[in-house]
Amino acid sequence: MNVTGNEENCRKLLKEDRVQRVSAEQKGYVQVHTNGKITENNNTNANIQTDNLLEKIIMRDNMNKAFKRVKSNKGAGGIDGMGVEKLLPYLKENGADLIRQIKEGRYKPNPVRRVEIPKEEKGKFRKLGIPTAVDRVVQQAITTILTPIYEQQFSDNSFGFRPHRSQHDALKRCKEYADEGYVYVVDMDLEKFFDTVCQSKLIEILSRTIKDGRVISLIHKYLNSGVLENGIIVNTPFGLPQGGPLSPILSNIMLNELDKELTRRGHRFVRYADDCMIFCKSRRSAERTLENIIPYIEKKLFLKVNRQKTVTAHISKVKYLGYGFYIYRGKCRFKVHRKSVTKLKNKIREVTKRNNGWSNQSRIKKFNEVIRGWINYFKMADMKNLMVTTDEWSRRKIRAVYWKQWKKVKTRYRMISKYGIPKWKVTEMANCRKGVWRASIMLNSVLTNKEIAGLGYMSMTDYYLNVCVN
């Protein structure tokens, strides 16, 4: 039996030439000492097992459900390049051997493929780890079994990555607390939470509930599977790789410890993933709450609080899940935070670029998808006036697209003539020498709001008024 210490044995990656494993740069912050080492073995001691949890995970029905879920989610391939479309033939041929390896404790997950996606802050990126398609199936099978077990333990104030719970539910709970007079909040920011999770602490928490040592060992192998960066496998002695089906429930299991502590102290709070807000009745109370909870987070959970981004403020001054808040006649109401408005406008700018080579039909389809998705998310906010002004601005962007397409004078003359305006006006407009953005104002009399709607572009105001729930 192999016992995990502070280092892993080197191992080579298939289909890679001279792949090496190197130690990741470590910050001493998240390292902790444990009383005993955690087993990660090829033949797990059967005496550790106190139930048949692993057998439930590898049951045929559960594995089939996991495969269907992974296939429906699609997603990019891992380091082996296998896409979900090749998954079924592979599992038909190798599925029995895969289950046998898992059952015997011989299964070795592959390292994840590193992908970086930009954050809202310029120059900052969120690191994702994309597991192979096969590993995603196994992770999904584990998640399916663990979810009903831990759902009984999770707090009613936790909403992220949980069945039948959403951001809207979290926001409604925020409104409930604010309406009760808890209008000062601790807006908690955990610094690089997924990258700094203490794996020893997480395994300890898992072991309180999961008594099948083989399942603990399998999860630990996934945590230590490593990351492929520039052809080199880098150790992952801490952190949860975002991108696989297992990391969401593991993050909730870890942060459920914070939920239990906040509940024990009698605090009102709302947590969505690692975004947590604690509600208080006064600014001083909020400051004391922050001061008292930081030692627990950093010394007991071995996580780090971002002092720069964690604030205590009136609820009207904070942003949560893209929404802002304001108090009207003693009641809390929602608004769209200015940063969310900026993100919407950036998306519209991207769709209405005049040099992206899209066809008009493709542009209309993409524009409507952006508008529909954004408004459905922010439908609880009071934003009628915002939709009116944004509609005007986006229609001007659309008119600029068509003016750019009508490059030549004769083309402009032919297109404008279709709208039944006087000939002298057609000539004047067709010969306009203004820039595209300035000329787009002139097209108001040609491409009217009705004409733009007739082309297929959605009206934000109309759609919002149909779906709003405020």
Side-chain angles (χ1 to χ4, degrees):
M1 178 175 71
N2 300 327
V3 180
T4 302
N6 293 326
E7 299 180 359
E8 286 184 302
N9 293 330
C10 297
R11 52 183 172 142
K12 293 184 178 180
L13 176 67
L14 296 177
K15 302 181 181 179
E16 292 284 344
D17 294 331
R18 302 179 66 181
V19 175
Q20 300 175 339
R21 179 178 287 276
V22 298
S23 296
E25 293 184 2
Q26 300 183 29
K27 305 293 182 185
Y29 205 95
V30 297
Q31 297 180 16
V32 296
H33 297 287
T34 53
N35 293 329
K37 295 183 179 180
I38 302 161
T39 60
E40 176 179 318
N41 48 35
N42 294 336
N43 296 291
T44 306
N45 188 346
N47 292 331
I48 299 176
Q49 181 183 355
T50 57
D51 60 21
N52 296 321
L53 196 60
L54 184 66
E55 278 70 23
K56 296 176 183 177
I57 290 171
I58 61 178
M59 280 180 59
R60 183 182 183 89
D61 288 347
N62 189 52
M63 294 295 285
N64 285 340
K65 288 179 183 177
F67 162 73
K68 291 176 181 178
R69 183 70 177 269
V70 170
K71 186 177 180 181
S72 65
N73 289 339
K74 299 181 181 179
I79 60 172
D80 59 359
M82 180 191 296
V84 292
E85 68 281 353
K86 299 178 181 178
L87 191 53
L88 183 58
Y90 177 87
L91 292 177
K92 283 183 176 179
E93 184 176 348
N94 301 283
D97 185 52
L98 171 67
I99 290 175
R100 184 166 56 253
Q101 287 185 35
I102 295 173
K103 192 170 185 179
E104 295 174 357
R106 295 185 294 106
Y107 181 68
K108 291 273 188 177
N110 284 300
V112 298
R113 180 169 64 88
R114 172 70 78 215
V115 175
E116 293 184 344
I117 58 174
K119 288 186 174 182
E120 291 181 18
E121 300 93 339
K122 285 188 177 180
K124 293 189 177 181
F125 295 87
R126 177 174 287 107
K127 294 182 178 181
L128 299 183
I130 310 300
T132 63
V134 175
D135 282 331
R136 292 210 294 274
V137 171
V138 179
Q139 288 190 30
Q140 184 61 54
I142 298 172
T143 301
T144 302
I145 297 301
L146 294 189
T147 296
I149 296 173
Y150 279 98
E151 274 297 309
Q152 301 175 32
Q153 301 181 18
F154 288 158
S155 168
D156 189 47
N157 290 319
S158 164
F159 295 89
F161 309 132
R162 295 183 61 187
H164 313 299
R165 287 172 172 248
S166 68
Q167 292 100 323
H168 289 167
D169 297 322
L171 290 161
K172 290 174 184 176
R173 185 65 55 83
C174 291
K175 174 177 165 55
E176 287 178 18
Y177 290 149
D179 287 345
E180 292 172 4
Y182 295 85
V183 293
Y184 287 91
V185 298
V186 177
D187 187 5
M188 182 77 65
D189 185 86
L190 300 178
E191 187 172 331
K192 297 181 179 178
F193 166 73
F194 281 92
D195 298 331
T196 60
V197 168
C198 176
Q199 295 181 3
S200 297
K201 182 65 178 179
L202 176 59
I203 293 298
E204 176 208 325
I205 295 168
L206 286 167
S207 299
R208 297 174 194 167
T209 300
I210 301 174
K211 302 306 179 183
D212 190 335
R214 300 170 300 171
V215 176
I216 296 291
S217 176
L218 181 59
I219 293 173
H220 195 233
K221 287 177 182 178
Y222 273 113
L223 295 176
N224 283 295
S225 60
V227 176
L228 182 67
E229 290 185 319
N230 301 319
I232 298 176
I233 301 176
V234 181
N235 287 336
T236 51
F238 52 86
L240 294 174
Q242 294 185 74
L246 193 55
S247 59
I249 189 169
L250 292 182
S251 68
N252 267 338
I253 292 170
M254 185 72 182
L255 289 173
N256 189 49
E257 297 300 298
L258 174 60
D259 297 345
K260 290 191 290 187
E261 181 65 16
L262 291 172
T263 301
R264 187 185 68 81
R265 297 185 185 192
H267 291 305
R268 286 165 171 78
F269 68 94
V270 174
R271 183 176 65 80
Y272 190 93
D274 58 331
D275 292 330
C276 182
M277 291 235 292
I278 308 171
F279 292 78
C280 305
K281 284 199 170 182
S282 69
R283 186 182 299 274
R284 180 65 188 127
S285 175
E287 290 170 353
R288 281 199 308 269
T289 298
L290 176 60
E291 183 181 343
N292 292 332
I293 199 64
I294 285 178
Y296 177 82
I297 294 172
E298 296 187 338
K299 295 179 181 179
K300 298 293 185 181
L301 300 183
F302 308 104
L303 300 171
K304 188 174 182 181
V305 176
N306 188 327
R307 301 303 207 279
Q308 284 70 40
K309 291 186 177 180
T310 297
V311 297
T312 57
H314 191 271
I315 193 169
S316 61
K317 304 296 182 182
V318 301
K319 168 180 175 257
Y320 192 62
L321 302 178
Y323 275 74
F325 307 86
Y326 71 99
I327 304 298
Y328 180 71
R329 294 182 178 177
K331 295 295 183 181
C332 179
R333 297 188 67 85
F334 300 113
K335 63 181 180 180
V336 182
H337 195 273
R338 62 181 183 278
K339 289 185 178 180
S340 301
V341 177
T342 301
K343 289 177 70 175
L344 170 64
K345 289 193 171 184
N346 288 338
K347 288 181 180 179
I348 293 175
R349 287 189 182 99
E350 189 68 28
V351 172
T352 56
K353 272 186 178 179
R354 300 186 287 274
N355 59 352
N356 56 17
W358 291 359
S359 67
N360 287 332
Q361 289 304 314
S362 297
R363 181 176 286 105
I364 292 168
K365 181 180 178 182
K366 185 63 177 177
F367 179 89
N368 291 344
E369 287 175 355
V370 169
I371 298 307
R372 191 179 292 111
W374 192 89
I375 293 179
N376 280 334
Y377 181 74
F378 288 101
K379 63 185 177 182
M380 296 197 305
D382 299 326
M383 59 177 185
K384 181 180 177 181
N385 291 338
L386 172 64
M387 292 294 92
V388 171
T389 55
T390 309
D391 255 336
E392 293 172 357
W393 174 79
S394 63
R395 282 193 290 261
R396 186 175 176 185
K397 298 283 291 182
I398 293 166
R399 291 182 182 108
V401 169
Y402 284 94
W403 184 257
K404 178 72 173 179
Q405 291 175 356
W406 305 341
K407 289 183 179 180
K408 298 181 179 179
V409 173
K410 62 180 182 180
T411 305
R412 293 172 181 171
Y413 190 94
R414 186 179 73 252
M415 298 303 295
I416 296 172
S417 297
K418 295 180 179 180
Y419 295 94
I421 64 176
K423 188 174 181 180
W424 67 269
K425 187 66 174 177
V426 175
T427 303
E428 180 182 71
M429 294 174 68
N431 287 278
C432 176
R433 291 294 181 266
K434 295 179 181 178
V436 174
W437 185 240
R438 291 183 64 192
S440 62
I441 299 178
M442 180 182 60
L443 287 184
N444 287 354
S445 58
V446 176
L447 291 176
T448 62
N449 297 354
K450 186 177 180 180
E451 288 290 341
I452 290 177
L455 292 171
Y457 289 95
M458 289 178 60
S459 165
M460 298 183 208
T461 306
D462 293 344
Y463 187 72
Y464 167 70
L465 293 176
N466 284 334
V467 301
C468 65
V469 292
N470 51 3

